C-alpha cells in the first residue's frame, strides 16, 4: 500500500517519541502524530511523507487511551509549551522515568543501578517563576504576546497560562496595552526593525517579589514613565529593567541590562538558603521541585566536613550553597559573569565563607584551578546545559578521580552519552532519581550518583 499525503487512516498508537508525538503504523509504515498517546485509536490525516516514515495530524479520537484527559488549557494543542497536557499526570511521571531508563540503556549501556521513584508534584500548576513572552502583531494589528507554537515562531496569544504566576500574566498584559496605547514599535524578525522583542518576568515563590525586563532592539524606550506607573501597581513589583539586544539572533536576552525602576534583581529562597536573581541569571523555573532535586543532589554527594567539592556549571550558586553547609570548601565555576556576581552576593547574603566562585569555562578553568591552587576535589557536582559536559572536562574528571561525581541533567540523551564516558573511566552508576521540573512538557531533570571503582 502506498501512503500518500492527505490520506485518512484509523491508527492504533503503540509508542511515543522523545518529543511526545504518538507513533502508529499503517501496513508497517510508521507515522508520527502530534498530540496522540499510547493506547489511542485515532483517525489521522497524513500531512507529510518520507520513504520510510511520515507525519500525521490527529483528526479524531476513535477510542481514547486510558491515560488521556481533557487539557484544562484551551491553547494546549496549539501552544508549544505543553506537549503532553492531554496525558494524566501519573502517566506523565511514569513515561518520563521510563524514557530516562530506556535512554541510559540504549545510549549509555547503563543497566545495573538503583532507579529511585520519580519526584512529582502534588499540584502541577502555577509553578513557573519565569516567563519569556515574545511580542508580535496579531491579525487585528494589535500587539500580541504569549508563546510560540511548536516548531515555529508563530505567537499564540496568552490570555492566561496555567503554569505561570497570575501576576506574570498581569504584567505581560500591562506591557501589551502600553505598546498599543502609545504606538510602540514591535521588532520584526525578517527586517530586524522595530523596538520591543520580548517581555521577561521573574517571580519569587517564597518572597512574593516580581520583576519585569523588556528586551528591546535599542537602548531606550519611549513613554517609560507611563509603563512604570502601571507596572508598579502589580503586587510585589520589585524591579523594572531593560535589556538591549540588537543582534539578529534567536537568543532572547542581551548581554547586559539596566534598571529603570526599583532594583535589578529579586530574591527567593530554596529551603533556608536565599538567592539573588537578576534578569540574566540562570535559576531553575520550578522552585518547589528545585528544592527536591537539589536535596537529592546533596544526599547523593553527602559531603563530609573535611571534604572539598567542585560545583561545575554552578549558575548563581544554588547547589553550591547547599553543599557549603556540609563540606569543608566548595568551588563553583560558571561561564556567565552576571551569574557569578550573583553567586558571590548569594554566598555573602547567606554568611557562607567557605564557598568560592570563579568565572570561566568549566573545561578550561577546572584544570587550571587545580594546578594553580593545588586543589584536589573529593566530590564533583556537574549541572551542565542541555548539550551536556564538554568532552575535555569528562577527560579531566577521569584524571582528577574524585571519589564521587553527582551529575544533574536536563537532557537524558546527553546524560546517557556522558555517563558512558565516565563509566569507561572507572566509575559506576549507583543511583538515579528523576525529578519532574516541567509538568505537562516532555522535559525531565535527573540526578545521578557515580562512585569511583578504580583510578585511571
Amino acid at each position: 500500500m502506498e501512503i500518500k499525503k492527505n490520506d485518512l487512516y484509523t491508527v492504533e498508537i503503540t509508542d511515543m517519541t522523545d518529543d511526545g508525538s504518538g507513533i502508529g503504523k499503517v501496513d508497517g509504515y510508521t507515522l508520527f502524530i502530534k498530540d496522540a498517546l499510547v493506547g489511542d485509536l485515532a483517525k489521522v490525516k497524513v500531512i507529510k511523507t518520507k520513504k520510510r516514515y511520515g507525519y500525521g495530524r490527529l483528526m479524531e479520537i476513535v477510542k481514547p487511551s486510558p491515560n488521556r484527559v481533557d487539557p484544562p488549557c484551551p491553547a494546549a494543542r496549539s501552544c508549544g509549551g505543553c506537549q503532553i497536557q492531554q496525558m494524566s499526570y501519573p502517566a506523565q511521571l511514569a513515561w518520563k522515568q521510563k524514557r530516562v531508563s530506556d535512554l541510559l540503556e540504549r545510549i549509555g549501556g547503563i543497566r545495573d543501578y538503583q532507579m529511585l521513584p520519580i519526584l512529582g508534584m502534588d499540584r502541577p500548576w502555577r509553578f513557573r517563576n519565569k516567563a519569556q513572552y515574545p511580542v508580535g502583531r496579531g491579525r487585528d494589528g494589535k500587539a500580541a504576546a504569549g508563546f510560540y507554537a511548536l516548531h515555529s515562531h508563530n505567537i499564540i496569544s496568552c490570555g492566561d497560562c496555567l503554569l505561570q504566576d497570575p501576576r506574570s500574566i498581569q504584567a505581560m498584559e500591562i506591557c501589551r496595552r502600553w505598546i498599543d496605547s502609545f504606538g510602540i514599535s514591535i521588532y520584526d524578525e525578517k527586517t530586524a526593525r522595530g523596538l520591543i522583542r520580548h517581555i521577561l518576568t521573574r517571580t519569587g515563590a517564597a518572597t512574593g517579589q516580581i520583576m519585569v525586563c523588556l528586551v528591546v532592539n535599542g537602548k531606550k524606550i519611549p513613554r517609560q514613565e507611563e509603563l512604570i506607573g502601571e507596572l508598579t501597581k502589580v503586587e510585589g513589583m520589585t524591579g523594572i529593567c531593560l535589556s538591549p539586544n540588537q543582534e539578529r539572533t534567536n537568543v532572547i536576552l542581551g548581554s547586559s541590562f539596566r534598571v529603570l525602576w526599583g532594583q535589578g534583581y529579586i530574591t527567593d529562597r530554596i529551603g533556608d538558603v536565599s538567592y539573588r536573581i537578576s534578569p540574566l541569571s540562570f535559576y531553575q523555573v520550578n522552585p518547589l521541585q528545585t528544592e527536591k532535586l537539589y536535596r537529592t543532589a546533596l544526599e547523593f554527594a553527602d559531603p563530609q566536613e573535611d571534604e572539598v567539592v567542585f560545583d561545575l556549571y554552578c549558575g548563581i550558586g544554588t547547589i553550591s550553597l547547599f553543599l557549603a553547609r556540609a563540606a569543608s570548601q566548595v568551588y563553583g565555576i560558571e561561564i556567565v559573569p552576571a551569574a557569578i556576581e550573583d553567586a558571590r552576593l548569594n554566598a555573602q547574603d547567606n554568611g557562607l565563607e567557605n564557598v568560592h566562585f570563579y568565572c570561566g569555562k568549566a573545561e578550561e578553568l577546572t584544570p587550571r584551578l587545580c594546578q594553580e591552587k593545588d586543589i584536589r576535589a573529593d566530590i564533583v557536582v556537574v549541572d551542565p546545559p542541555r548539550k551536556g559536559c564538554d568532552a575535555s572536562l569528562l577527560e579531566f574528571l577521569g584524571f582528577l578521580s574524585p571519589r564521587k561525581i553527582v551529575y544533574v541533567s536536563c537532557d537524558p540523551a546527553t546524560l546517557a552519552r556522558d555517563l558512558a564516558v565516565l563509566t569507561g573511566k572507572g566509575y559506576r552508576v549507583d543511583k538515579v532519581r528523576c525529578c519532574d521540573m516541567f509538568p505537562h512538557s516532555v522535559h525531565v531533570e535527573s540526578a545521578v550518583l557515580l562512585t569511583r571503582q578504580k583510578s585511571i
Side-chain angles (χ1 to χ4, degrees), residues 273-290:
V273 181
S274 64
Y275 299 94
R276 184 181 301 213
I277 309 149
S278 70
L280 304 184
S281 297
F282 172 78
Y283 186 69
Q284 294 280 11
V285 300
N286 187 334
L288 292 175
Q289 293 299 94
T290 296

Side-chain angles (χ1 to χ4, degrees), residues 56-363:
R57 178 178 291 118
L58 180 64
M59 305 301 290
E60 180 186 343
I61 300 294
V62 178
K63 182 180 178 182
S65 163
N67 295 321
R68 179 171 285 279
V69 296
D70 291 329
C73 176
R77 282 194 68 175
S78 55
C79 177
C82 290
Q83 302 93 356
I84 53 172
Q85 200 180 114
Q86 72 279 10
M87 184 189 292
S88 72
Y89 189 58
Q92 290 182 31
L93 296 178
W95 178 73
K96 290 182 181 187
Q97 179 162 299
K98 183 177 184 300
R99 178 175 167 235
V100 171
S101 61
D102 287 349
L103 287 170
L104 290 186
E105 180 171 353
R106 178 160 54 87
I107 296 176
I110 312 295
R111 296 178 182 85
D112 297 324
Y113 59 90
Q114 183 183 8
M115 174 65 85
L116 299 173
I118 187 170
L119 298 168
M121 298 191 73
D122 293 331
R123 299 184 63 186
W125 304 102
R126 302 292 185 192
F127 58 83
R128 286 189 64 95
N129 58 19
K130 177 184 178 182
Q132 298 175 138
Y133 304 104
V135 181
R137 289 282 177 203
R139 293 181 179 178
D140 58 2
K142 294 183 178 181
F147 301 103
Y148 289 131
L150 191 65
H151 304 314
S152 82
H153 275 201
N154 297 325
I155 296 174
I156 306 297
S157 292
C158 181
D160 190 13
C161 172
L162 300 181
L163 308 188
Q164 300 292 342
D165 186 316
R167 296 173 303 152
S168 173
I169 304 295
Q170 180 187 0
M172 179 270 288
E173 279 294 315
I174 288 171
C175 294
R176 190 189 61 77
R177 290 196 299 268
W178 166 78
I179 292 169
D180 282 339
S181 297
F182 298 104
I184 311 297
S185 65
I186 295 172
Y187 182 73
D188 186 317
E189 290 182 330
K190 295 179 181 178
T191 65
R193 295 180 180 177
L195 184 62
I196 307 298
R197 298 177 70 138
H198 280 80
I199 302 162
L200 178 142
T201 66
R202 284 189 181 272
T203 54
T207 62
Q209 296 179 358
I210 181 172
M211 75 179 308
V212 173
C213 182
L214 286 181
V215 183
V216 296
N217 180 38
K219 297 182 179 178
K220 60 183 180 178
I221 57 173
R223 312 305 292 252
Q224 175 179 309
E225 293 306 316
E226 286 87 346
L227 178 62
I228 292 172
E230 291 300 309
L231 285 174
T232 49
K233 296 176 183 177
V234 177
E235 182 181 356
M237 185 59 66
T238 301
I240 302 168
C241 302
L242 201 69
S243 179
N245 183 357
Q246 296 177 270
E247 301 294 325
R248 298 191 75 157
T249 175
N250 287 332
V251 176
I252 292 173
L253 285 160
S255 59
S256 64
F257 71 93
R258 64 183 179 89
V259 178
L260 301 181
W261 176 89
Q263 61 191 33
Y265 60 91
I266 63 168
T267 57
D268 202 8
R269 292 190 302 275
I270 300 176
D272 56 358
V273 181
S274 64
Y275 299 94
R276 184 181 301 213
I277 309 149
S278 70
L280 304 184
S281 297
F282 172 78
Y283 186 69
Q284 294 280 11
V285 300
N286 187 334
L288 292 175
Q289 293 299 94
T290 296
E291 181 172 359
K292 295 178 185 178
L293 178 68
Y294 288 174
R295 289 204 182 281
T296 297
L298 180 61
E299 177 188 324
F300 283 1
D302 189 25
Q304 304 304 300
E305 60 182 15
D306 61 342
E307 290 189 311
V308 174
V309 182
F310 284 0
D311 181 14
L312 310 183
Y313 311 95
C314 69
I316 63 171
T318 41
I319 297 179
S320 302
L321 302 190
F322 268 59
L323 295 164
R325 299 192 168 219
S328 171
Q329 300 290 323
V330 176
Y331 296 87
I333 296 176
E334 168 62 47
I335 195 172
V336 179
I340 285 294
E341 182 179 346
D342 284 343
R344 289 169 177 160
L345 290 169
N346 288 333
Q348 179 180 311
D349 291 346
N350 286 277
L352 295 169
E353 298 181 355
N354 64 328
V355 57
H356 319 277
F357 293 104
Y358 298 87
C359 187
K361 293 182 178 180
E363 63 270 21

